[in-house]
Amino acid sequence: MNFLEVSQRFTEMSNTTKRLELTNILVRLLKSANKDLKKLVYLTQGKLLPDYEGLELGMASKLIIKALSSISGKKEEEIDALFIKEGDLGTVAKLISEKKTQNSLFSNELSVDYVYDELTKLARIKGEGSIKNKIGIYQDLLLNSTPDEGMYITRIITGRLRLGVSDATILDALVLAFAEKVHSEEIDEAYNFHPDLGEIAELLRDGKLSKVLETGPTPMVPAKVMLAERLPEIKDILEKMGGKAAFEYKYDGMRTQIHIKNGKVKIFSRGSEETTSNFPDIVEHALQNFNVESCILDGEAVPYNSETGELYPFQMVSQRRGRKYDLKSKVEEIPVVVFLFDILYLNGQALNKVPYLERRKILQSLFTENDDFKCATMLLSSDPEEINGFFNEAINSGCEGLVAKNVSDDSIYRAGARGWLWIKVKRDYQSAFEDTLDLVVIGAFGGHGRRKGTYGALLMASYNKDQDIFESACKLGTGFTDDVLFGLPSKLAEHKTNRKPARVESGLTPDVWFDPKVVLEIIGAEITVSPVHSCAFGKVEKGAGLAIRFPRFTGRWRDDKTAEDATSTEEILEMYYGQKKVG
Ligand code: AMP
């Protein structure tokens, strides 16, 4: 397939403001691929392989600028200035190649295969002379590109393709192109255990649906984590779970998925990002404590005081993430204990379909508790009073509340799904209308008066999982310190876009639109019906959506959540009905 065709489709995708149209263009694109489908899917994701393979393209802006300078004969300073003006090196590459002075001796038509293979070469180059070679490959690609092709190649290399498609959007398009809608839930589940869209695309296209559906948890491949629904009252949880449930402490730490295989350990975050290098202590302890050939464990890493055993707030583990330099001192200063609450795989056997209580028994029998690993404290009960007492103990031990787990035989591990098999109850929810939500920044309104020069308010959205769109739910203007407030424009600049992204819906038009990427924790007073917000539009009242009243930023940036992990529209709808019952 020609890369020119791909770049034309990419342009159409970037230009559309409608989710449906976006999917249709993707379907057309996927259908026109041949044996290069897998490569095409990765390129559409702006990647060369799934993230967990750890193949990063990474070419610094400085190198791109150098390459563009030598192609165009323009000074690096000039290109740098253009970069500052445009905010995107892809656009700069396009502008420059429109005025290209030098042409390659053999101007080839670029194919998907060729672009993918060259980019892979570029990513794999290491050692002496690597910078020169990387620049060389990039320049060759540019010299053989049309301006638009060059723009997309540059965006892929700099990790900023920004087509507005998520994995969910691509998966949806794959089902439409190569499978039947009735299988979409099962295909989704397979993807959640093995998030390799290229592989799934090829299998579906080749009619190997059954192979896709066999996919389960795989050691060293991050499974999307199972998530909990929420309810404000213990009696509601018991009712929902058939009168009895296992209640576990809800630890306030960092979700940690630990994979062990043949003496090697990998650790993944809630968002399937590999964090092994930030937790050398957990790696070492895992090998000491688990005498297994292979396994996948799920838990929460929590910082603690090694003298008193007291648990510390979550923020202290987050300091470990992305830290390269003084990690060693941090490991000593902030030891973590991992509270394990699930096991997905053991010694060649997938356990995701084994009921919760049995999984928990297997987990408990696998190791002896110590300062490094413990099982989440759990109470099996049907007595609301006893559970309330347990809830208070959890709070006193520094936990956020409880997570109830269904104890029926159907209580499987559902990767990536928020469902009623797990239900959380947090301290906040116990007071009538106080609730924390994780919402996505989709826009901003310019500030006035004291806020001149920054934003007056952000437009925040929930994620509608069914439709794969973001729906506005409030304007957020309070809870910001001055530092944070005045830092907002630069912090959000990289996500700015010049039109409403296709997967965003709002009755309001902000001064600036953002690609849905950044997640903030907010606390709201009440959920009300709103004529301007599109969250759960038409679900409660015709011609109206839902809005959060008096939203306030809690100060917590949810860097551990992707936009698709934000509070869902469905959750907000449930909270709306829940509060009506209380009120
Ligand atoms: P939330 O982030 O509010 O949606 O709550 C779900 C998160 O609670 C999970 O992603 C885990 O990181 C965390 N958590 C803490 N303790 C438990 C537990 N015992 N079972 C499940 N999740 C837990």
Side-chain angles (χ1 to χ4, degrees), residues 139-154:
Q139 282 179 331
D140 270 354
L141 279 169
L142 272 197
L143 288 170
N144 287 304
S145 307
T146 63
D148 275 345
E149 285 177 315
M151 174 172 77
Y152 291 120
I153 288 171
T154 308

mmCIF file of all heavy atoms in Angstrom, residues 139-154:
data_model
loop_
_atom_site.group_PDB
_atom_site.id
_atom_site.type_symbol
_atom_site.label_atom_id
_atom_site.label_comp_id
_atom_site.label_asym_id
_atom_site.label_seq_id
_atom_site.Cartn_x
_atom_site.Cartn_y
_atom_site.Cartn_z
ATOM 1 N N GLN A 139 16.299 11.936 6.852
ATOM 2 C CA GLN A 139 16.410 12.815 5.671
ATOM 3 C C GLN A 139 16.006 12.077 4.400
ATOM 4 O O GLN A 139 15.298 12.613 3.551
ATOM 5 C CB GLN A 139 17.840 13.335 5.551
ATOM 6 C CG GLN A 139 18.115 14.459 6.529
ATOM 7 C CD GLN A 139 19.535 14.955 6.442
ATOM 8 O OE1 GLN A 139 20.443 14.192 6.096
ATOM 9 N NE2 GLN A 139 19.749 16.218 6.750
ATOM 10 N N ASP A 140 16.451 10.836 4.268
ATOM 11 C CA ASP A 140 16.084 10.067 3.077
ATOM 12 C C ASP A 140 14.578 9.931 2.950
ATOM 13 O O ASP A 140 14.003 10.067 1.862
ATOM 14 C CB ASP A 140 16.705 8.663 3.152
ATOM 15 C CG ASP A 140 18.078 8.670 2.518
ATOM 16 O OD1 ASP A 140 18.452 9.719 1.957
ATOM 17 O OD2 ASP A 140 18.766 7.634 2.594
ATOM 18 N N LEU A 141 13.944 9.650 4.089
ATOM 19 C CA LEU A 141 12.481 9.525 4.065
ATOM 20 C C LEU A 141 11.855 10.840 3.612
ATOM 21 O O LEU A 141 10.979 10.858 2.747
ATOM 22 C CB LEU A 141 11.958 9.144 5.453
ATOM 23 C CG LEU A 141 12.046 7.661 5.820
ATOM 24 C CD1 LEU A 141 11.763 7.460 7.309
ATOM 25 C CD2 LEU A 141 11.055 6.827 5.000
ATOM 26 N N LEU A 142 12.342 11.930 4.175
ATOM 27 C CA LEU A 142 11.767 13.237 3.821
ATOM 28 C C LEU A 142 11.965 13.572 2.349
ATOM 29 O O LEU A 142 11.067 14.087 1.684
ATOM 30 C CB LEU A 142 12.422 14.333 4.648
ATOM 31 C CG LEU A 142 11.828 14.659 6.007
ATOM 32 C CD1 LEU A 142 12.331 16.018 6.467
ATOM 33 C CD2 LEU A 142 10.304 14.687 5.965
ATOM 34 N N LEU A 143 13.161 13.261 1.847
ATOM 35 C CA LEU A 143 13.450 13.612 0.459
ATOM 36 C C LEU A 143 12.566 12.843 -0.516
ATOM 37 O O LEU A 143 12.334 13.283 -1.632
ATOM 38 C CB LEU A 143 14.928 13.364 0.155
ATOM 39 C CG LEU A 143 15.869 14.381 0.829
ATOM 40 C CD1 LEU A 143 17.310 13.949 0.711
ATOM 41 C CD2 LEU A 143 15.673 15.768 0.223
ATOM 42 N N ASN A 144 12.079 11.708 -0.083
ATOM 43 C CA ASN A 144 11.197 10.925 -0.963
ATOM 44 C C ASN A 144 9.715 11.148 -0.671
ATOM 45 O O ASN A 144 8.862 10.450 -1.200
ATOM 46 C CB ASN A 144 11.527 9.438 -0.829
ATOM 47 C CG ASN A 144 12.845 9.113 -1.497
ATOM 48 O OD1 ASN A 144 13.022 9.386 -2.675
ATOM 49 N ND2 ASN A 144 13.787 8.589 -0.737
ATOM 50 N N SER A 145 9.434 12.093 0.241
ATOM 51 C CA SER A 145 8.039 12.304 0.669
ATOM 52 C C SER A 145 7.395 13.487 -0.025
ATOM 53 O O SER A 145 8.081 14.444 -0.373
ATOM 54 C CB SER A 145 7.973 12.661 2.153
ATOM 55 O OG SER A 145 8.616 11.764 2.940
ATOM 56 N N THR A 146 6.066 13.428 -0.104
ATOM 57 C CA THR A 146 5.316 14.651 -0.391
ATOM 58 C C THR A 146 5.309 15.446 0.925
ATOM 59 O O THR A 146 5.589 14.872 1.990
ATOM 60 C CB THR A 146 3.860 14.325 -0.772
ATOM 61 O OG1 THR A 146 3.250 13.702 0.368
ATOM 62 C CG2 THR A 146 3.786 13.390 -1.965
ATOM 63 N N PRO A 147 4.963 16.744 0.884
ATOM 64 C CA PRO A 147 4.953 17.514 2.133
ATOM 65 C C PRO A 147 4.088 16.873 3.228
ATOM 66 O O PRO A 147 4.481 16.821 4.387
ATOM 67 C CB PRO A 147 4.402 18.871 1.704
ATOM 68 C CG PRO A 147 4.830 18.992 0.261
ATOM 69 C CD PRO A 147 4.749 17.604 -0.292
ATOM 70 N N ASP A 148 2.909 16.361 2.850
ATOM 71 C CA ASP A 148 2.048 15.752 3.867
ATOM 72 C C ASP A 148 2.647 14.467 4.430
ATOM 73 O O ASP A 148 2.598 14.212 5.623
ATOM 74 C CB ASP A 148 0.655 15.457 3.289
ATOM 75 C CG ASP A 148 -0.238 16.682 3.385
ATOM 76 O OD1 ASP A 148 0.129 17.613 4.139
ATOM 77 O OD2 ASP A 148 -1.281 16.712 2.702
ATOM 78 N N GLU A 149 3.202 13.643 3.535
ATOM 79 C CA GLU A 149 3.836 12.408 4.027
ATOM 80 C C GLU A 149 4.940 12.750 5.025
ATOM 81 O O GLU A 149 5.065 12.128 6.082
ATOM 82 C CB GLU A 149 4.444 11.619 2.865
ATOM 83 C CG GLU A 149 3.427 10.900 1.998
ATOM 84 C CD GLU A 149 4.098 10.207 0.818
ATOM 85 O OE1 GLU A 149 4.969 10.829 0.171
ATOM 86 O OE2 GLU A 149 3.761 9.044 0.564
ATOM 87 N N GLY A 150 5.744 13.761 4.668
ATOM 88 C CA GLY A 150 6.850 14.180 5.547
ATOM 89 C C GLY A 150 6.333 14.655 6.888
ATOM 90 O O GLY A 150 6.930 14.397 7.934
ATOM 91 N N MET A 151 5.197 15.336 6.849
ATOM 92 C CA MET A 151 4.609 15.843 8.095
ATOM 93 C C MET A 151 4.223 14.659 9.001
ATOM 94 O O MET A 151 4.552 14.645 10.192
ATOM 95 C CB MET A 151 3.367 16.673 7.771
ATOM 96 C CG MET A 151 2.595 17.120 8.999
ATOM 97 S SD MET A 151 1.290 18.273 8.567
ATOM 98 C CE MET A 151 0.053 17.163 7.890
ATOM 99 N N TYR A 152 3.561 13.648 8.413
ATOM 100 C CA TYR A 152 3.128 12.523 9.255
ATOM 101 C C TYR A 152 4.311 11.687 9.727
ATOM 102 O O TYR A 152 4.328 11.214 10.865
ATOM 103 C CB TYR A 152 2.080 11.675 8.521
ATOM 104 C CG TYR A 152 0.783 12.427 8.358
ATOM 105 C CD1 TYR A 152 0.243 12.701 7.101
ATOM 106 C CD2 TYR A 152 0.118 12.925 9.471
ATOM 107 C CE1 TYR A 152 -0.926 13.435 6.969
ATOM 108 C CE2 TYR A 152 -1.055 13.661 9.356
ATOM 109 C CZ TYR A 152 -1.567 13.907 8.103
ATOM 110 O OH TYR A 152 -2.726 14.634 7.980
ATOM 111 N N ILE A 153 5.300 11.506 8.870
ATOM 112 C CA ILE A 153 6.490 10.749 9.291
ATOM 113 C C ILE A 153 7.158 11.458 10.463
ATOM 114 O O ILE A 153 7.516 10.850 11.472
ATOM 115 C CB ILE A 153 7.458 10.566 8.096
ATOM 116 C CG1 ILE A 153 6.853 9.562 7.112
ATOM 117 C CG2 ILE A 153 8.842 10.103 8.570
ATOM 118 C CD1 ILE A 153 7.590 9.443 5.794
ATOM 119 N N THR A 154 7.277 12.787 10.355
ATOM 120 C CA THR A 154 7.901 13.557 11.448
ATOM 121 C C THR A 154 7.078 13.433 12.717
ATOM 122 O O THR A 154 7.610 13.264 13.811
ATOM 123 C CB THR A 154 8.029 15.043 11.042
ATOM 124 O OG1 THR A 154 8.673 15.098 9.771
ATOM 125 C CG2 THR A 154 8.818 15.826 12.066
#
